[in-house]
Amino acid sequence: MSLLGRNGAGKTTMLSIIAGLLVPDAGTVQLDGLDALKDPESAARLLGIAPQETGIYPILTVRQNLEFFGELSGLKASRKSRASEVAEQLGLEQLLDRKASQLSGGEARRLHTACALVHRPRLLMLDEPTVGADVATRLQLIDAVRQLADDGAAVVYTTHYLPEVESLAADIVIIDDGQILARGTQDELIAAHQLRGVRFSVEGVLPHGLAEELNAVIVGDSTYRAVGDLDMRELLRLFGSNADQLTAVESLRPDLETVFLAVTGHRLEADASQDEATSAEEASA
Amino acid sequence: MTALLALTKVQLRIIRNDPWFLVIMFGMPLVVMPLFTKTMGLSLQASGFEGATGAEQVVPGQVVLFGFFVGGSVGFTVYREHGWRTWDRLRASAAPSVALLGGFGLPWIVIHVIWQSALFAAGALALGLNFNGGSPIALLLIITGYSMCVIALILLATATFRTVNQLSAFQNVGAMVFGGLGGALVPLEQLPGWARAVAPITPAYWAMRGHQDVFLRGGGVADVLPEFGVLAGSALVISALTVSRFRVDETKEFFA
């Protein structure tokens, strides 16, 4: 399940409450029929969490990190074999005897995630696992998440990066201001929250007041997106005598981004590091 | 118990992977000890311990003084978990705070005992420190009681202070004040009256009294039981206070 929301929407808070790191003001947390607030130790055995910030022991080797977190979560003799299995799953098998302090950023990120799944949790929660990760790491993490889900684990994956959500092809939950606003598959959400709109580029400055009138947001160099009951004809009418400023106009196809906009009223910010990684990937391709 | 064992093992593993702090803390007292041996010998003789060489004061004194610095490491390891962002992962294991505190404290008590014992052995080889009829078991009791008390005190400070700088200040000032008042720098008999009056509030005082019993009075196990009792009893009381104060959800600041 992809948990989609802006920064500050409540994604990390929700995961922290489920993991017992925060105490909720009200409500209950049910994990596989277990009340996690009343029996946190049993609940901890069922779940694995990789918090947003990388948390590993730099002074220990990859193997030692994996074995420790496995043992902490109740693994005994099997922790050694599980460490190897998880390392292989995340492309760390060649690095098992390397100190974590000597890993690259992407490798450290993979180890961070691997530590959360070493004890085969029934529920794995990954909080923005690909923030700051390179393209290869991102693909490996997404593959690992898919494999875990195929193996029967429930995976909650928070992100505000839409291409990842699309590539996971999982159920999506949209959260804003601590409230779940929509949930369903990508197709269901698009069908339920279709928005019309246009994307357009202009030469020079957008005529005064038009951005507000169109409720347009800038999405690139001199390129804007306006959603609502708007088509090309209406756009040209609103531009009036300034229509010759338009250099490109395109009808918007409903996608997750327009769904998010329709549901929350906000545009989803992209993570700059991920955009850069994608750009680098596209440039190298 | 699972968390306690796992944490204990990982702490020992971290120390094994980076032993340099302990190596330095073993070397430094050995450098300092010979500088004061002769002076302390005269001081002990003036205090009525005829035939004392000074090693009976300077070896235990430096062990007790530096013991506070070595013990401080247990606190740093807790703050370091916050710096490494591993603290929340430990918390997510739902281990009770007693298990977390034990997982940090127990390995450091063991290390502290070994470190003290090694320094006494080195002091015997380098400065001719000998038991003069005293009991090695009695020495081990005092060493163990002091380790327990220092580690408990540092964990209480860790439960109290939010930043590692605050702990560092406590550790440095504590070592000098407790060590000085407790007779680690000069023999207890040479301390001014007011210092002798307040000295018993420090763990160093009870450790140094025990060491005097062993090395200067030829004391056995029975002779050091009062000192061991005070040290171990204090450790238990301090530990109970620590458990009641320790909040696992409090954010600690490690070095920026």
Side-chain angles (χ1 to χ4, degrees):
Chain A
M1 184 188 83
S2 300
L3 193 56
L4 190 62
R6 297 182 299 158
N7 285 331
K11 305 185 295 291
T12 299
T13 301
M14 182 188 278
L15 297 199
S16 298
I17 287 171
I18 295 169
L21 300 176
L22 283 177
V23 179
D25 295 326
T28 59
V29 178
Q30 295 287 328
L31 284 178
D32 205 15
L34 191 77
D35 187 331
L37 300 178
K38 286 185 179 156
D39 189 359
E41 275 192 74
S42 301
R45 296 270 182 274
L46 296 177
L47 62 86
I49 181 169
Q52 202 171 114
E53 291 179 283
T54 303
I56 51 177
Y57 290 94
I59 202 167
L60 298 181
T61 65
V62 169
R63 188 192 307 278
Q64 289 169 339
N65 267 285
L66 291 170
E67 287 184 10
F68 167 65
F69 284 111
E71 189 175 2
L72 188 67
S73 303
L75 292 186
K76 300 201 185 314
S78 63
R79 68 181 183 276
K80 291 181 190 297
S81 58
R82 271 301 290 162
S84 300
E85 283 171 28
V86 172
E88 191 177 348
Q89 202 173 357
L90 283 162
L92 295 166
E93 69 272 26
Q94 302 295 323
L95 307 169
L96 274 167
D97 294 317
R98 187 176 293 182
K99 273 193 179 174
S101 59
Q102 295 166 344
L103 299 177
S104 70
E107 290 163 349
R109 201 68 191 158
R110 274 181 273 156
L111 173 59
H112 170 72
T113 305
C115 290
L117 53 93
V118 69
H119 61 293
R120 292 186 199 277
R122 301 280 300 277
L123 171 63
L124 175 66
M125 299 188 292
L126 306 175
D127 195 0
E128 311 252 4
T130 58
V131 166
D134 55 31
V135 175
T137 296
R138 218 165 62 218
L139 295 175
Q140 257 166 330
L141 284 171
I142 288 170
D143 279 348
V145 168
R146 278 207 200 95
Q147 194 178 326
L148 275 166
D150 289 346
D151 291 346
V155 183
V156 179
Y157 187 106
T158 81
T159 185
H160 52 240
Y161 192 55
L162 288 170
E164 269 176 24
V165 177
E166 287 162 355
S167 64
L168 282 167
D171 280 355
I172 298 164
V173 170
I174 296 177
I175 183 172
D176 201 44
D177 286 335
Q179 302 291 320
I180 290 175
L181 300 183
R183 65 181 302 169
T185 65
Q186 186 172 329
D187 291 344
E188 287 167 352
L189 287 173
I190 288 172
H193 301 283
Q194 281 203 22
L195 270 188
R196 293 174 62 201
V198 292
R199 181 185 286 116
F200 60 93
S201 301
V202 295
E203 190 178 314
V205 182
L206 200 63
H208 181 71
L210 196 55
E212 291 76 18
E213 194 173 350
L214 290 169
N215 193 23
V217 291
I218 192 158
V219 292
D221 285 344
S222 303
T223 300
Y224 296 80
R225 180 194 292 117
V227 294
D229 195 13
L230 184 72
D231 57 14
M232 288 193 198
R233 188 192 304 263
E234 179 66 4
L235 182 74
L236 287 170
R237 190 189 70 73
L238 289 168
F239 263 80
S241 60
N242 295 309
D244 57 349
Q245 270 188 266
L246 286 165
T247 57
V249 181
E250 179 193 358
S251 284
L252 281 183
R253 282 169 41 206
D255 59 11
L256 263 187
E257 193 164 359
T258 60
V259 167
F260 189 85
L261 197 57
V263 169
T264 67
H266 304 291
R267 182 173 171 253
L268 195 62
E269 325 85 328
D271 176 8
S273 67
Q274 284 169 321
D275 284 347
E276 282 163 18
T278 307
S279 302
E281 183 184 28
E282 286 165 357
S284 66
Chain B
M1 189 56 87
T2 304
L4 178 72
L5 282 175
L7 262 174
T8 299
K9 278 159 67 176
V10 86
Q11 292 302 317
L12 293 172
R13 191 166 265 175
I14 286 171
I15 293 159
R16 198 180 66 191
N17 284 9
D18 182 14
W20 284 104
F21 170 75
L22 284 175
V23 171
I24 291 165
M25 282 295 155
F26 181 74
M28 276 299 292
L30 288 178
V31 172
V32 175
M33 284 174 191
L35 304 177
F36 300 103
T37 307
K38 190 173 176 185
T39 307
M40 289 303 131
L42 295 171
S43 185
L44 285 173
Q45 287 163 21
S47 302
F49 297 107
E50 286 181 20
T53 64
E56 304 88 348
Q57 166 66 29
V58 82
V59 175
Q62 292 304 307
V63 170
V64 165
L65 183 69
F66 277 88
F68 216 77
F69 292 116
V70 173
S73 297
V74 70
F76 282 89
T77 59
V78 175
Y79 290 89
R80 195 175 55 188
E81 295 280 344
H82 288 265
W84 284 344
R85 310 281 179 198
T86 44
W87 185 253
D88 276 348
R89 304 197 91 141
L90 299 183
R91 287 181 59 211
S93 73
S97 57
V98 177
L100 290 178
L101 286 167
F104 286 102
L106 288 178
W108 275 100
I109 289 174
V110 172
I111 290 161
H112 205 263
V113 167
I114 294 170
W115 170 83
Q116 286 192 78
S117 304
L119 267 180
F120 274 105
L125 286 171
L127 300 174
L129 175 70
N130 64 61
F131 281 99
N132 293 322
S135 160
I137 305 293
L139 174 64
L140 189 60
L141 272 181
I142 294 301
I143 284 174
T144 305
Y146 186 60
S147 294
M148 289 168 61
C149 200
V150 167
I151 300 298
L153 204 53
I154 294 292
L155 282 175
L156 177 60
T158 303
T160 306
F161 299 134
R162 197 176 59 81
T163 73
V164 74
N165 287 334
Q166 291 168 345
L167 176 75
S168 180
F170 172 78
Q171 178 199 30
N172 292 328
V173 173
M176 299 313 291
V177 172
F178 287 178
L181 287 175
L185 299 176
V186 296
L188 291 164
E189 293 75 11
Q190 300 294 325
L191 290 172
W194 67 265
R196 279 204 298 271
V198 297
I201 64 166
T202 72
Y205 168 83
W206 296 98
M208 288 307 295
R209 242 181 66 157
H211 291 315
Q212 281 194 344
D213 284 344
V214 173
F215 292 111
L216 292 169
R217 300 186 188 95
V221 170
D223 298 306
V224 300
L225 278 180
E227 287 90 346
F228 173 74
V230 171
L231 288 168
S234 302
L236 291 176
V237 171
I238 293 167
S239 296
L241 197 58
T242 304
V243 170
S244 71
R245 285 189 64 96
F246 191 65
R247 288 190 52 214
V248 291
D249 57 343
E250 185 182 64
T251 303
K252 304 274 185 198
E253 282 182 25
F254 194 52
F255 296 112

